[in-house]
Amino acid sequence: EVLLRMHSVGICGSDVHYWQHGRIGDFVVKDPMVLGHEASGTVIKAGSGVTHLKPGDRVAIEPGVPREMDEFCKTGRYNLSPTIFFCATPPDDGNLCRYYKHSASYCYKLPDNVTFEEGALIEPLSVGIHACKRAGVTLGSKVFVSGSGPIGLVNVLVAKMMGAAAVVITDLSASRLQKAKEVGADFTIQVKNETPQEVASKVESLLGCMPEITVECTGVQACIQAGIYATRSGGTLVLVGLGPEMVTVPIVNAAVREVDIRGIFRYCNTWPVAIALLASKRINVKPLVTHRFPLEKALEAFETTKRGEGVKVMLKCDPTDHSP
């Protein structure tokens, strides 16, 4: 293990949800819990068995650490391990604090040209990498991203990086769609009160064809329906957003057109990839951060996120260090 002085911690929708509702699905907050799982910091002490890190190293933290070498770990899908430790998922504490201890194998050294803030953004970026891999985005793909929150935006970034020829994105908010344009979306659709079929036909007319791939980042029933209608026959719909447990969808439409519906759960094996992309400047996540607060103003930061202002709110845990 390593002991870290925390630096930058991003606030996620799930953090806000636990704070407001005390549960997400089967994960129920029963005891006080530290929030935060999008984080970076500096090693101040390393355990005797740790060879790849030393005090002073700047690291990005992968929040999910398997507790045992089970069948999922053996096949490289450790994110599915049922006993995994995960920051800020009850009952496991997160890392929105000044000092934090974590498994050294899940702390990754940041190159000098990658900032702490970028290090913290690897966590949401990883969701995009994992989703686009599961979706099979490749050279020339036409992609529809549903929802322009932080996760929709990282999916735009990654899809373009992986060779997508055109990406169309939807949202209710004009300002969020503007941000999507900034990070590389080719087309945006501001949804008002269209039916799912109408949204699907707008997607098709903007792309000039139906997309082979849809990445659904809202979890909203109508959006999942639109995702099925929009996806080209033989294509893939990846469900990233989490909404109600039971959702009514046109499953027969998907079945008879051989639309593959895939889920994702967090990510695995994405930190090295993300660090390589950030270090080589192949991907720019900096526009995602719109607000910064010191740790003392955590409540204000959470309120800002809850109101849906900006995109990514970042907390600064080290009062002495002003580097990004």
Side-chain angles (χ1 to χ4, degrees):
E1 293 191 317
V2 288
L3 179 64
L4 306 161
R5 177 186 287 117
M6 300 305 296
H7 189 287
S8 296
V9 181
I11 299 179
C12 170
S14 71
D15 292 321
V16 175
H17 203 275
Y18 281 126
W19 169 53
Q20 289 291 299
H21 304 283
R23 68 180 300 157
I24 295 177
D26 296 335
F27 297 109
V28 183
V29 181
K30 296 194 172 83
D31 299 296
M33 178 181 81
V34 179
L35 291 169
H37 58 266
E38 308 177 358
S40 63
T42 306
V43 176
I44 49 177
K45 200 172 178 187
S48 54
V50 178
T51 53
H52 70 293
L53 295 173
K54 61 185 189 306
D57 283 349
R58 302 158 60 254
V59 297
I61 302 165
E62 179 172 1
V65 180
R67 286 187 169 98
E68 53 187 304
M69 177 54 72
D70 58 17
E71 57 190 307
F72 297 105
C73 294
K74 287 175 185 169
T75 56
R77 300 183 73 176
Y78 58 86
N79 57 313
L80 302 178
S81 177
T83 59
I84 197 166
F85 167 94
F86 197 89
C87 293
T89 294
D92 304 334
D93 279 325
N95 43 31
L96 180 49
C97 47
R98 300 240 188 257
Y99 295 95
Y100 176 72
K101 178 165 79 21
H102 200 68
S103 163
S105 308
Y106 293 80
C107 294
Y108 302 81
K109 193 170 174 350
L110 291 172
D112 294 341
N113 68 339
V114 177
T115 66
F116 281 114
E117 225 160 65
E118 289 175 298
L121 288 165
I122 291 174
E123 196 279 342
L125 181 61
S126 288
V127 179
I129 294 170
H130 191 58
C132 287
K133 274 189 180 169
R134 294 263 300 151
V137 179
T138 186
L139 274 177
S141 296
K142 304 283 204 312
V143 180
F144 166 32
V145 176
S146 167
S148 189
I151 296 300
L153 297 174
V154 294
N155 274 286
V156 171
L157 279 169
V158 176
K160 295 292 284 191
M161 179 72 247
M162 286 172 78
V167 176
V168 60
I169 188 165
T170 51
D171 203 89
L172 299 168
S173 155
S175 62
R176 290 205 155 184
L177 291 172
Q178 185 49 47
K179 192 55 113 172
K181 271 259 196 266
E182 251 177 77
V183 302
D186 299 280
F187 308 103
T188 61
I189 298 169
Q190 188 174 4
V191 179
K192 299 264 186 342
N193 39 23
E194 294 86 348
T195 65
Q197 288 97 329
E198 285 167 347
V199 171
S201 65
K202 281 192 172 185
V203 168
E204 182 179 5
S205 64
L206 278 176
L207 288 173
C209 61
M210 294 171 84
E212 302 101 326
I213 289 161
T214 298
V215 185
E216 207 300 300
C217 304
T218 71
V220 174
Q221 177 171 288
C223 299
I224 299 172
Q225 292 171 353
I228 289 177
Y229 292 131
T231 309
R232 184 185 308 184
S233 297
T236 305
L237 165 64
V238 175
L239 300 176
V240 184
L242 297 175
E245 187 182 358
M246 289 293 174
V247 180
T248 303
V249 293
I251 201 79
V252 175
N253 177 292
V256 298
R257 297 193 303 108
E258 296 192 6
V259 171
D260 292 348
I261 299 175
R262 297 188 139 199
I264 70 153
F265 187 62
R266 299 170 181 159
Y267 33 65
C268 58
N269 305 304
T270 55
W271 258 254
V273 176
I275 289 171
L277 289 170
L278 292 167
S280 62
K281 303 295 178 210
R282 298 285 310 193
I283 210 160
N284 180 16
V285 289
K286 287 174 180 164
L288 298 179
V289 182
T290 52
H291 294 71
R292 294 169 181 86
F293 293 91
L295 187 56
E296 296 76 17
K297 294 192 176 167
L299 189 59
E300 206 178 313
F302 270 79
E303 298 281 5
T304 305
T305 311
K306 185 183 153 202
R307 288 193 299 269
E309 288 175 28
V311 182
K312 181 54 71 179
V313 176
M314 199 58 76
L315 279 153
K316 301 296 184 186
C317 300
D318 185 348
T320 60
D321 190 335
H322 301 294
S323 59

